[in-house]
Amino acid sequence: MLGERLDSWLRGHESLVDVVTALLLSACCVLFGLFVRADAAYFLVSLLLPLPLALRRRKPAVCAALVLGIAGVQWLTVRDTDGALLADLAVPVAVHAAAAHGPRWAGRAGLAAGLFGAVLGGLSWPLLPSSTTAHVLVGAFLASTVVAAWATGALWRVRRAERDQRARLAVLAERTRIAREMHDILAHSLAVVIAQADGGRYAAGSSPEAGRAALATIGDCGRQALGELRRVLGVLRDSPETVEPQPGLDDLPGLVDRVRAGGLDVHLAFETPPGPVEPGFSLAAYRIVQEGLTNVLKHAGTGARAEVSVRWPAGRLEIDVLDDGRARIAGSGGGHGLGGMRERASAYHGTVTLEPRPGGGHVLSARLPVPA
């Protein structure tokens, strides 16, 4: 927990962290210079080299250009007196920043400049009379440091891009899920409301009681839809623990009763699940039945009958929604409703089909393996 808080704080104060890092490196260089009683050139270079690191994430290309430029001036002016300095640690840090935070050209340019500097350092250091092998080893060490800094920066860039891509995909998936839920809720509720409103309008003149019953059904359906919408939109709040449970298989009898009150003759054959059912799986099954009945309400025509069958054979859930309507159900070849059902089923490695029945009507069939 403490590590997560520290990481979150560091991510929220990156500019401050960069400034403090640059100042700390400069302070260490100055203290070391005081300890060895270095000359003025040492202190000047030791102050100038780390300071651009304060810009390493805000302006990485500028930071790399300044650090590598100052390192070049160091090699031209004081290489034969002070040699390599503690402040030269700023070079791999700047190369890393260019590769991780800057444009790709800046990372490549930083790598090239750093390798060129490693060659110059290998030519000049060590200052004492040494063999060619010693100069080669120094140059190879400096070059490997630059390459390692560039590689870790490039790897950080790739991982950040992957993390951002995952975040975008997660947002898109959540938007799709919420849109699918709202479609299922609104399409079903509006189908019932429209059916009741049409029936109540025709019946109001001859049977006021039927008109009042239709209005009561409309009110109940509207309240039910409002409650479900609140549950769906509750996931967007900051306190998801307050969100009420979503409907599931146990709510199918109530769903059928509401559809029946909306004027559709529905028969439900419901087998009790053989064991506990995962909430997401239960919600998917509920929405499939709901969308199937909505299609019947909207498209099967007046006087249609529907049958809903929920069975649990051999470790899978089988759902069938049949009707005997004469009209062709819009969406039997596609559409948001059928597409949403298929998405829900595919999340559990299941399938959904909508086919015409011999003699009229349609059958919606869903087959979902029960999650282990």
Side-chain angles (χ1 to χ4, degrees), residues 11 48 65 69 99 108 172 185 194 197 205 231 284 309:
R11 290 179 182 275
L48 292 178
R108 297 189 184 105
L172 180 60
I185 294 169
I194 291 171
R231 285 194 290 269
S309 174

Side-chain angles (χ1 to χ4, degrees), residues 111-122:
L111 174 63
L115 291 176
F116 181 71
V119 173
L120 296 179

Side-chain angles (χ1 to χ4, degrees), residues 278-325:
E278 178 187 326
F281 184 83
S282 183
L283 173 62
Y286 177 91
R287 293 299 187 205
I288 289 171
V289 174
Q290 184 184 51
E291 182 62 27
L293 291 175
T294 300
N295 278 342
V296 177
L297 273 172
K298 291 165 62 178
H299 305 296
T302 58
R305 296 178 64 258
E307 297 179 10
V308 178
S309 174
V310 179
R311 307 177 302 278
W312 302 85
R316 70 173 184 171
L317 171 62
E318 294 185 354
I319 298 173
D320 290 316
V321 181
L322 303 90
D323 72 87
D324 58 3

Side-chain angles (χ1 to χ4, degrees), residues 105-242:
W105 64 264
R108 297 189 184 105
L111 174 63
L115 291 176
F116 181 71
V119 173
L120 296 179
L123 292 174
S124 301
W125 306 319
L127 298 178
L128 299 175
S130 304
S131 64
T132 302
T133 302
H135 288 281
V136 171
L137 290 176
V138 170
F141 172 76
L142 296 176
S144 64
T145 302
V146 171
V147 171
W150 176 85
T152 54
L155 179 61
W156 190 93
R157 173 195 289 276
V158 171
R159 289 181 174 176
R160 181 182 60 183
E162 291 177 350
R163 184 177 66 247
D164 293 344
Q165 179 68 10
R166 286 195 299 268
R168 286 192 293 269
L169 291 176
V171 170
L172 180 60
E174 184 65 9
R175 287 178 178 174
T176 302
R177 188 191 70 81
I178 293 175
R180 187 170 58 233
E181 287 287 321
M182 294 185 69
H183 170 272
D184 291 346
I185 294 169
L186 293 176
H188 171 76
S189 302
L190 288 176
V192 174
V193 166
I194 291 171
Q196 283 294 301
D198 289 343
R201 182 177 61 190
Y202 291 119
S206 58
S207 177
E209 184 63 28
R212 285 192 292 270
L215 291 175
T217 302
I218 290 173
D220 292 341
C221 185
R223 282 187 289 271
Q224 175 74 19
L226 182 60
E228 292 195 32
L229 283 175
R230 284 174 175 169
R231 285 194 290 269
V232 171
L233 297 178
V235 301
L236 302 178
R237 297 175 185 153
D238 294 331
S239 302
E241 65 274 6
T242 63

